[in-house]
Amino acid sequence: MGDVLLSEREQAALRFVLAAEPSPGQALPDVATLERLATLVRCDVVGATIADSEGYVVGEVALPRNDGDALDEHACDGPLRIGLVHWSRVPDHAEWLRSLGYSDSLVVGFRHRKDGVVQVWWDRRSGSFSERDRAILTMIAPAVHRLVRDDTTPSLPASLTVQERRTLMLVAAGFSNGEIAAKLGVATSTVRKHLEHSYRKLGVSNRLAAAVALRGELVAPPELLEKVSGDD
């Protein structure tokens, strides 16, 4: 698929999601964030679920929710999936979707703590999600992942600006300073300034340490070591 063009409303929603912070003590997105996620990927219901290693639901938030809808802590469909899932494209799941009253569903799942999974989902009662919807979800997945990270993860300094956070997110994704400058529409020298300020605020001295701090980890996992190069 080619470039994805966003309306002004979608651009505002994207800016909100990129600048949002995880709610203290809560690993699920708040209502305001869910509303923006539904703007970016249009749906009838949007929500997020935490499940343990066996698939039992231990936390959930959704919009809209009827007053009579209660969390079913005994619901268990086995371990939840990680990554992007487009349920209408999974063989033998069309009937399952219809039984729930939906025609299509998009899900993106992330690991939570040691064995759990957090899934954020978008459901439609009619029609199907498009390639554009999938492309938008793929684009915003890193920001969504940050919002549903383990609630024991230390929060980043409030002094980090939106541009500094965006720069760090792109660093953690493995982009060079030149590539980051192109994506943000700024000069490479500006990217270096953002990184210098971020290092000082995070108390680190290089891009790898900053990426580790952004992910809330104590040591760099192998995949991060492979992605983050010495472009300081």
Side-chain angles (χ1 to χ4, degrees):
M1 182 174 180
D3 294 339
V4 176
L5 300 179
L6 301 179
S7 67
E8 290 186 7
R9 187 163 178 261
E10 290 170 332
Q11 290 178 42
L14 178 59
R15 287 193 294 269
F16 183 97
V17 172
L18 290 176
E21 289 294 329
S23 300
Q26 174 61 267
L28 294 178
D30 59 22
V31 170
T33 301
L34 287 178
E35 290 173 343
R36 270 63 174 199
L37 292 177
T39 297
L40 287 165
V41 179
R42 295 179 63 186
C43 58
D44 293 300
V45 185
V46 62
T49 299
I50 302 179
D52 62 21
S53 59
E54 296 181 348
Y56 288 101
V57 174
V58 296
E60 185 178 64
V61 60
L63 288 178
R65 173 176 287 284
N66 296 324
D67 292 338
D69 289 344
L71 172 64
D72 183 0
E73 296 182 354
H74 300 290
C76 177
D77 296 312
L80 300 185
R81 297 196 182 198
I82 302 296
L84 174 62
V85 181
H86 192 168
W87 281 116
S88 66
R89 298 188 177 188
V90 177
D92 303 324
H93 277 72
E95 187 64 31
W96 169 72
L97 276 176
R98 283 196 295 270
S99 71
L100 297 176
Y102 299 106
S103 64
D104 205 357
S105 180
L106 281 175
V107 172
V108 60
F110 310 99
R111 297 214 175 272
H112 177 69
R113 296 184 177 174
K114 183 178 179 181
D115 299 313
V117 172
V118 174
Q119 283 191 339
V120 182
W121 38 269
W122 293 255
D123 292 339
R124 281 186 180 173
R125 295 192 176 91
S126 62
S128 300
F129 288 104
S130 65
E131 287 300 325
R132 180 181 187 273
D133 295 321
R134 288 169 56 92
I136 290 176
L137 182 50
T138 299
M139 176 180 66
I140 65 175
V144 175
H145 188 190
R146 182 173 60 83
L147 295 176
V148 300
R149 67 189 182 188
D150 187 338
D151 53 6
T152 61
T153 299
S155 60
L156 294 173
S159 57
L160 280 174
T161 68
V162 172
Q163 283 294 79
E164 287 166 357
R165 291 171 189 270
R166 290 175 180 170
T167 301
L168 288 175
M169 288 174 64
L170 292 170
V171 165
F175 292 102
S176 68
N177 286 359
E179 291 169 330
I180 294 171
K183 286 181 174 293
L184 297 181
V186 299
T188 304
S189 59
T190 301
V191 172
R192 288 197 293 268
K193 281 293 182 183
H194 286 327
L195 290 176
E196 289 172 6
H197 295 161
S198 300
Y199 294 168
R200 185 178 66 254
K201 294 172 183 178
L202 293 171
V204 300
S205 59
N206 58 65
R207 66 198 297 111
L208 179 58
V212 171
L214 179 71
R215 290 166 57 125
E217 295 169 331
L218 298 178
V219 296
E223 70 272 15
L224 193 61
L225 284 170
E226 293 176 3
K227 287 195 299 184
V228 180
S229 60
D231 191 19
D232 294 298

